[in-house]
Every structure is written in C-alpha cells, then in structure tokens.
Amino acid sequence: MRTSTLTPQETGVGTIHVEALPVDAVVETELIYHQLCPADDFEDLEGKPFHVNGTHLAVFKFEDKFYAVDNRCPHMGYPMSKGSIRDGVLICHWHHWEFDLKSGGCFLAFGDDLKAFPVELRDDGYLYVGLAKGEREAAKRRVIDSGKRSLERGLKDRSTFFIAKAVTALRDAGATPNEIIQQGLHYGAHKSSDGWSSGVAILTLAANLWDDVDPKDHNLFLVHGLTQISRRTTGSARSYRAPFPQVNGDHDLETLKRWFRYFVDKRHSGAAERILLTLNDRDYDRSVLADFVYTAATDYYFTGDGHALDFANKMFEALDYVEWDGAHEILRPIVVDLVSRTRHEETSRWADAVPVLEPVFERLDSIWEENQANTSELDISEFAQTLLGDEFEPTVAVVEEKLRAGVDPRDICRAMTYASAVRTARFHLKNEGDWHDVANIYSYAHALYHAFAYAPSASLLRGIFHGVVFLAYLRWLNMPAARIPKPGQRIPDETYDSVDKMLARLQEFADFQKVYEAEILVNQYLEEGHDVGALKRTLAHILLREDAELHMFQVLEVAFRHYDLSEDDEERRMHMLAATRYITAQKLMKNILWSTENAERLARGELLSERDDD
C-alpha cells in the first residue's frame, strides 16, 4: 500500500533522483520499497536511470516485466541504462560486457556481476523498487571491493584509464587514501623483482603531500603513482621468502647487523632480505630496522646516486603511513637497491674523493661521541654557502669540525638541502640532460635529514660527507649560473587584480615553458605576502597535469617541507624558486590527466561522446 505520492525529479544528465524520506517508502519484511515512476512512462526494451537513497539503479521494461540492476557497469562504470537488451541479455555498449537482465549475472568468466533488485508494479500504476535496509552501506562495500579488483586489473593491464576508473570509484564510495595507497604499495612491492620503484615512491609522496594539494587533484595524484607502478611490474609475484625459524635464544642484534652488512657487501640479496624479514617478524622497533637499512645504504659512496638512501627513507615513511600493514612485502624491494645500485667508490668520478674521505670514516666513532657530548648552534643559511664551495676537501674538514663541536647533524642536512636548492635554482637550461643530478642531491639531503630523525647513528654520518662531495661535483652545472630573480623584480607591463589571476598567469607561463617569468612571478607572490598554501596547490597542479616523472615529485616535496621548516625568508624563497624552475622547465604529455578527467566524468554520469575538446 502506497503511503504518499513522490514526484520523480529530472536532474543532472537525466538521472531520476528519489529522496529517501520515511513517508515515501513502504516497509515489507526485510526490504523497503521506494516509489519510482508510473509504469506507463516505459516503452518495451527501454531503460531509465534512478538514484534512490545513495543507490544508482537502471530499470528496464522487457516483455511486459520490469527489472532493476545497479546502473554502473562493474567493468568501467558505464551507465547500464544506456545499454540494450537482446533476448533477456543486458549489454553494456562500451566494451560489450553482457549480463543476465533478471539476476545480474555476468556472462564473462572473469567479470563481476551486477546487483539485481526486486521491482513491483502496484495497483496505483507506479513502479516500486525494493532495497534492503543496509543497502547503502552494502552498495558502498560492493563498489569498494569491485574497485579494488578493478584496480588490480588496471595495474596488471598497465591501463591508466582503468586505474583512474578504479580510483574514482573507490574514492566516491568512501575508500580512504590509506586503503588505496596500501594496495598500490603492496602490489608494487609484491609484483616486481626490481627494487623500490618510482611508482611506490610517488604513492608515498602522495601521502606526504596530501594536505598541500587541491582536493580536486587528489585522484590525479593517486593515478600518477599507480600508473608508474603498473609500468614497472610484470604481474608475476616475487617468490615467497620467510624469516628465520624462531628458536630459543635468537641471535643478538649486533650479529644480525654484521651479517646484514656482509651479505649486502657481497650482493647476496636473498640472505640480506631474510635477515630484514626476521627483524620485522620478531617485532623489533622500527628504528632498529631503519638503522640496519640506513647503515647499509651509506656503507658505500652515494649508492645509486643517492637513491638507495632516498628510497629507504620513502619506504619507512610509507610503512608508517599504512601503519606497517603488509610490511613483509613492502620491506623486501629495498634490499635490491642496497645490493645492485652503483657504489661510487668504484667509479672514476669519485676517485679523488676516496683518499680524502676514508681517513674521516675511520674517525666516525670519535666524531659521533664528541657530537653527542657537545652542543653548538649552526647558521644554516651561512653554512649553505660553505657547502657551495668549489673544492670539497676544505669543506669536509669544516663539516667534521662542526660535528665535533656538537652541531645537530640534522642542521647540517638542512644546510645541505638549502645549498641543493641553490644548485637547482642556478641550473642553466643548456644543461638539460643533467636535471636528475640536481634533483638527486636535493632529495638525498632531505632524506638524510629524516634518517637522522628516525635512526641517528655514527654510521649515518658517512651520508653527510658523501653529500658534501657530490655538491661540489655539481658546481659545473652552475657554470654559467642561471639568473635568479632579484628582490622587487616584476614582470614588465603586467599587473594583477587578484591572487587568482597571478596564479592563473603562473600556469600560463608553465604551459609555454617561460621558466624565468614563472620564477619572477613566484618571487613577487612571496614578497607580497600572499597565501603560500594557494601557491603550493598551484605548483602541485602544474606538476600533476603533466605525465611527470619521479624527480619532479621529489623536488616539489623537498621544497614544500623545507619552506615549512625554515624561518628565513631568503631560504624559503630559494626553495620555492628551485621547485618552480625544475617543474616549469619540463615539458611533457598529459595522458594521465586526460585519463583521470575522463574517469571522473563517467563517475558523474556524463558521456564521453558529449565532451567538447578545444
């Protein structure tokens, strides 16, 4: 029996929305029946979309009977109401998936089913659909579960669009960034025989920068990381490796650490990996695992151009973000980075550094003892200029002196990061092929700063001296040095009525790779004291709309974090100019942006065929 009349309302792109108010529903057993529309509104084989209490429905008339199913194709979310019926088979016309109209069962062996709902034609001539009391939450769970399966298929198929569709569906259904990032991290670690890849690093950067990015770009950020993961995995899983069997009287940490370093030295990844998994299995503090990994990462000279330490830092940030869920797999790839990357004491470029640094490394224990016993302040801006010296040998001596005096190693790392920002801002565009070098030292110095906060040790001091040498080597990338905007400098003949127009103009400069003009505008923006949060969101958007590679993301994060750490205006300015220069100088395609935008349009019920592109 109908309790009241509810008039359907046409909204959006034609979906009929039905508000779920108590007076508009009839309760029968376990279901609540909601009025839809007069049955006479349908013609045979016609489908109509409805939205009832958070549930998307496609209702069809076929051979004088009515059927209702979920309106979102489980393949890619295309509206089933736009499909057609042939002999009781409902067909999605995008990729020709076929379903039993009555039950929602998918005819493809690997395809998910559509949820079917009971429909009644009542004496009043109206159609009613029956939804369970918990249907809204059940629908949410179905979408999340289906989205996770779709995401894995997208990762396996290396389909950016499929990944974007899955991310959009998951986020619309209420899946948290933590859930999506954890799945991506686990897949990226489990399905690759390589080390810690750019994809899992970008996902970690998404977690770190989440609050600095416009919410409209959140899906896009996730798609970037997941797409990179898909390109660097084969779909086949790593062979299982277990921790050592547990017995009474497990080995002490000193022995395990000695073994770990030995096997890394011998490039025996399997043995080193098993020791790391044993530490995790025995529930040692996270700082213990970090100490093992950071020590091995700095046992050799600037391993992998700094990536070994940088990726180790990203790994621990990622594990902390997902609360060590899936740690057994996520830990494993870093061992590949530790054993397989270039050790620069073996290269000709670093030949002059080895005889200078080896005596220093023999004194590390005494340097650390004095550092911990003493206290001394450091002028970070002033010391950054020391680190920018042309010769590394005198700088190495000064760094040792500062450490023995009790300067916090993290302050030296901050000064190194500042100096790296200067190297980046002064990077001349004629050195186009060497962009990675300045990004590597910038992200390395930042990683070293975090490593000292996570697991400080005498061994980690080696990393500081490695960074000092590499900074000196990069002096040639600043010869000639690029111009840096001067205080008070402005774009000639341009004024801006609002902050929004300034930021829009910044995006235009980036579009046309007008690097210096973009830097001048950022310089003006900071001098005028405008909202830095809006500037960060704009720089992030400029990055995310391109098919950006890892180094661009790294530079952005370091600039943002060290801007926040500093109270010195010039230091802050230099970090933002470094990020602006690095990001606007790269010209890339926009495939990831287009795939994500298309996925979001479909999620809103829009048809791609209706899109007007310039």
Side-chain angles (χ1 to χ4, degrees), residues 333-466:
I334 196 62
V335 175
V336 177
D337 292 291
L338 297 177
V339 305
S340 65
R341 289 187 176 272
T342 301
R343 299 168 179 179
H344 280 285
E345 65 270 28
E346 301 170 345
T347 66
S348 58
R349 185 180 190 183
W350 284 68
D352 293 338
V354 174
V356 173
L357 293 185
E358 284 304 306
V360 177
F361 294 162
E362 292 175 1
R363 301 191 293 269
L364 284 184
D365 287 339
S366 67
I367 295 172
W368 182 249
E369 288 175 6
E370 290 188 42
N371 179 265
Q372 297 300 292
N374 298 319
T375 302
S376 182
E377 299 297 321
L378 184 73
D379 185 321
I380 289 172
S381 296
E382 180 181 313
F383 198 66
Q385 299 307 312
T386 300
L387 295 174
L388 289 167
D390 288 344
E391 302 297 329
F392 64 79
E393 190 167 358
T395 309
V396 166
V398 173
V399 169
E400 180 176 351
E401 177 186 323
K402 293 292 184 183
L403 287 169
R404 288 186 182 276
V407 167
D408 189 333
R410 291 175 299 175
D411 286 342
I412 294 180
C413 296
R414 278 190 55 196
M416 186 184 298
T417 311
Y418 182 15
S420 303
V422 175
R423 285 276 188 250
T424 305
R426 290 179 178 171
F427 184 94
H428 203 283
L429 296 182
K430 77 178 186 119
N431 296 317
E432 183 175 352
D434 299 309
W435 278 108
H436 289 182
D437 276 346
V438 290
N440 286 344
I441 188 60
Y442 200 28
S443 59
Y444 172 85
H446 172 67
L448 198 57
Y449 171 83
H450 275 280
F452 271 107
Y454 208 99
S457 71
S459 297
L460 200 51
L461 293 175
R462 282 191 302 265
I464 292 179
F465 293 103
H466 294 156

Side-chain angles (χ1 to χ4, degrees), residues 516-531:
Y516 191 53
E517 289 85 347
E519 290 179 288
I520 293 173
L521 193 56
V522 168
N523 188 67
Q524 177 181 344
Y525 189 97
L526 294 172
E527 284 188 350
E528 293 178 358
H530 300 304
D531 176 31

Side-chain angles (χ1 to χ4, degrees), residues 262-367:
Y262 170 82
F263 286 120
V264 169
D265 179 55
K266 299 305 178 185
R267 302 185 187 273
H268 193 328
S269 60
E273 184 180 309
R274 199 164 187 194
I275 293 170
L276 202 58
L277 295 178
T278 299
L279 293 173
N280 181 60
D281 180 70
R282 304 301 195 265
D283 291 326
Y284 279 105
D285 189 83
R286 298 165 185 181
S287 63
V288 172
L289 280 81
D291 178 54
F292 275 51
V293 173
Y294 289 148
T295 297
T298 53
D299 266 335
Y300 311 97
Y301 284 53
F302 207 56
T303 308
D305 295 324
H307 281 107
L309 180 68
D310 186 31
F311 283 171
N313 177 60
K314 280 289 165 281
M315 180 188 72
F316 287 114
E317 288 179 342
L319 285 168
D320 286 345
Y321 178 73
V322 299
E323 298 178 339
W324 287 65
D325 183 15
H328 183 92
E329 286 299 328
I330 295 171
L331 281 165
R332 297 175 65 189
I334 196 62
V335 175
V336 177
D337 292 291
L338 297 177
V339 305
S340 65
R341 289 187 176 272
T342 301
R343 299 168 179 179
H344 280 285
E345 65 270 28
E346 301 170 345
T347 66
S348 58
R349 185 180 190 183
W350 284 68
D352 293 338
V354 174
V356 173
L357 293 185
E358 284 304 306
V360 177
F361 294 162
E362 292 175 1
R363 301 191 293 269
L364 284 184
D365 287 339
S366 67
I367 295 172

Side-chain angles (χ1 to χ4, degrees), residues 150-221:
S150 296
L151 177 54
E152 182 146 357
R153 284 200 297 268
L155 290 166
K156 184 176 180 179
D157 295 344
R158 300 181 181 179
S159 168
T160 298
F161 182 55
F162 210 163
I163 289 168
K165 276 295 303 171
V167 167
T168 303
L170 285 166
R171 297 268 292 139
D172 285 351
T176 66
N178 183 294
E179 290 179 89
I180 299 170
I181 289 172
Q182 198 283 335
Q183 183 179 356
L185 291 172
H186 189 274
Y187 185 95
H190 185 56
K191 299 286 188 179
S192 171
S193 59
D194 294 331
W196 188 260
S197 75
S198 59
V200 286
I202 291 172
L203 270 191
T204 306
L205 287 158
N208 292 347
L209 291 171
W210 197 257
D211 293 335
D212 296 303
V213 173
D214 191 315
K216 294 178 181 178
D217 286 332
H218 281 163
N219 287 3
L220 186 55
F221 210 154

